[in-house]
């Protein structure tokens, strides 16, 4: 009998997750029976699955406490990838403060604090708990940046204030994908804030296959060693490390996605097979 694995998604009215069929086909070739299930489906029998893989639970931002409670419940009856503890830490970007790796310089404005922003040529302001550039602005106006950070803090959210880096429109953002602790592929991502605002979700999934430079690979390995315990940490099935080069040329971390990242499976011939191999090894 083939192993039964849940591909966890959400109630997406627009059906944007275009990786489901690719992943499920690769799982089937590896002898794995995959089933698409909403994480909040009250009828779902999670104990019936040998492994539950979180993939496109993209509505967690507004329901994070509920989502994390679900993840902890699932772990009581079967295996969850990535683990609930990883999901909890990774869905709040304040984890970036704890990493001893180069990151984009960031000012943090916690709930109850007043913004005291550095003088920058251009600002990016976003909440620490967010996805897809939601509630994110790009502006050259320091007062506007401070007002947005203050609004987020007044809503009980931690705000992140960063310099906008022109390199994302030339060198671009580089996303390195790891499955089962092994490097799979990398892409140059479409700039999400080109033109000053967030692009539609479909545009954010556009990319070009890229061969990462040695310094990018070295930084990604360091990031995974800290964020996930080690590149091959048990239970960490998938990871996406998003990097950008600073003005001096050194790579820096934007974020490491261990919760529900888009995996760019269509961009590399072996990507879906690499994911399926990691799933098979996790069973």
């Amino acid at each position: 009998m083939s192993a039964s694995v849940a591909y966890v998604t959400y109630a997406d009215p627009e059906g944007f997750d275009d990786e489901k069929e690719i992943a499920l086909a690769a799982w089937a070739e590896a002898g794995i029976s995959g089933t698409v299930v909403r994480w909040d489906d009250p009828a779902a029998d999670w104990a019936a699955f040998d492994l539950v893989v979180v993939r496109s639970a993209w509505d967690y931002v507004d329901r994070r406490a509920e989502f994390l409670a679900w993840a902890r419940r699932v772990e009581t009856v079967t295996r969850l990838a990535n683990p609930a503890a990883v999901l909890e830490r990774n869905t709040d970007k304040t984890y970036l403060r704890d990493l001893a790796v180069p990151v984009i310089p960031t000012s943090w404005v916690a709930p109850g604090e007043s913004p005291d922003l550095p003088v920058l040529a251009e600002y990016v302001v976003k909440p620490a708990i967010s996805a897809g550039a939601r509630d994110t602005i790009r502006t050259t106006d320091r007062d506007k940046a401070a007002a947005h950070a203050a609004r987020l803090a007044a809503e009980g959210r931690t705000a992140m204030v960063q310099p906008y880096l022109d390199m994302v429109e030339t060198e671009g953002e580089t996303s390195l994908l790891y499955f089962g602790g092994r490097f799979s592929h990398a892409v140059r991502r479409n700039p999400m804030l080109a033109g000053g605002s967030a692009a539609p979700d479909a545009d954010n999934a556009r990319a070009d296959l890229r061969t990462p430079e040695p310094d990018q690979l070295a930084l990604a390995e360091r990031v995974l060693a800290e964020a996930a315990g080690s590149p091959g940490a048990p239970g960490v099935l998938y990871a996406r490390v998003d990097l950008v080069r600073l003005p001096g040329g050194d790579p820096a971390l934007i974020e490491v996605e261990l919760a529900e990242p888009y995996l760019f499976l269509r961009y590399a011939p072996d990507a879906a097979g690499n994911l399926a191999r990691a799933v098979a090894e996790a069973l």
Side-chain angles (χ1 to χ4, degrees):
M1 177 182 293
S2 62
S4 180
V5 177
Y7 181 108
V8 177
T9 185
Y10 77 118
D12 181 2
E14 299 180 1
F16 176 65
D17 184 357
D18 61 357
E19 298 196 308
K20 290 195 296 285
E21 300 308 321
I22 299 171
L24 293 175
W27 293 3
E29 288 187 11
I32 299 165
S33 176
T35 303
V36 178
V37 191
R38 291 194 346 256
W39 71 269
D40 59 353
D41 182 351
D45 179 8
W46 301 108
F49 296 102
D50 300 298
L51 178 67
V52 173
V53 179
V54 178
R55 284 303 315 116
S56 50
W58 292 331
D59 63 345
Y60 83 85
V61 173
D62 293 328
R63 307 165 63 187
R64 181 170 177 263
E66 182 183 352
F67 173 68
L68 294 176
W70 163 83
R72 289 188 286 268
R73 287 196 306 272
V74 169
E75 282 192 332
T76 67
V77 297
T78 189
R79 285 173 290 177
L80 177 69
N82 284 334
V86 172
L87 299 179
E88 181 169 8
R89 184 185 187 206
N90 191 245
T91 50
D92 185 338
K93 293 182 180 63
T94 56
Y95 72 81
L96 292 168
R97 296 183 297 193
D98 302 326
L99 300 180
V101 299
V103 301
I104 297 176
T106 304
S107 298
W108 303 87
V109 184
E113 294 183 346
S114 298
D116 182 15
L117 305 188
V119 176
L120 302 173
E122 195 163 10
Y123 298 83
V124 174
V125 185
K126 57 189 175 183
I129 298 175
S130 183
R134 188 172 176 182
D135 292 330
T136 298
I137 67 166
R138 169 187 167 190
T139 180
T140 58
D141 187 327
R142 184 168 180 261
D143 290 339
K144 184 177 179 180
H148 188 62
R151 180 178 70 82
L152 293 173
E155 294 172 352
R157 299 194 281 176
T158 297
M160 305 170 61
V161 183
Q162 300 174 323
Y164 181 77
L165 302 175
D166 291 334
M167 293 291 283
V168 301
E169 297 181 35
T170 53
E171 161 78 14
E173 297 181 19
T174 298
S175 291
L176 295 87
L177 284 302
Y178 289 78
F179 302 140
R182 292 180 295 270
F183 173 71
S184 172
H185 59 291
V187 298
R188 178 193 183 277
R189 296 176 60 199
N190 186 63
M192 295 182 71
L193 295 176
S197 62
D201 283 344
D203 289 338
N204 295 336
R206 293 176 184 164
D208 300 301
L209 196 63
R210 163 174 283 182
T211 300
E213 298 293 333
D215 60 349
Q216 294 172 320
L217 283 166
L219 178 55
E221 296 288 340
R222 287 179 59 194
V223 167
L224 290 178
E226 287 202 42
S230 72
V236 178
L237 176 67
Y238 53 84
R240 194 184 82 201
V241 183
D242 296 338
L243 306 178
V244 66
R245 289 194 183 276
L246 298 174
D250 293 330
L253 178 67
I254 300 173
E255 61 183 318
V256 52
E257 290 269 18
L258 301 173
E260 33 59 67
Y262 192 84
L263 300 176
F264 299 95
L265 297 180
R266 294 183 288 114
Y267 291 85
D270 298 330
N274 291 340
L275 175 60
R277 175 185 171 192
V279 170
E281 291 174 349
L283 290 167

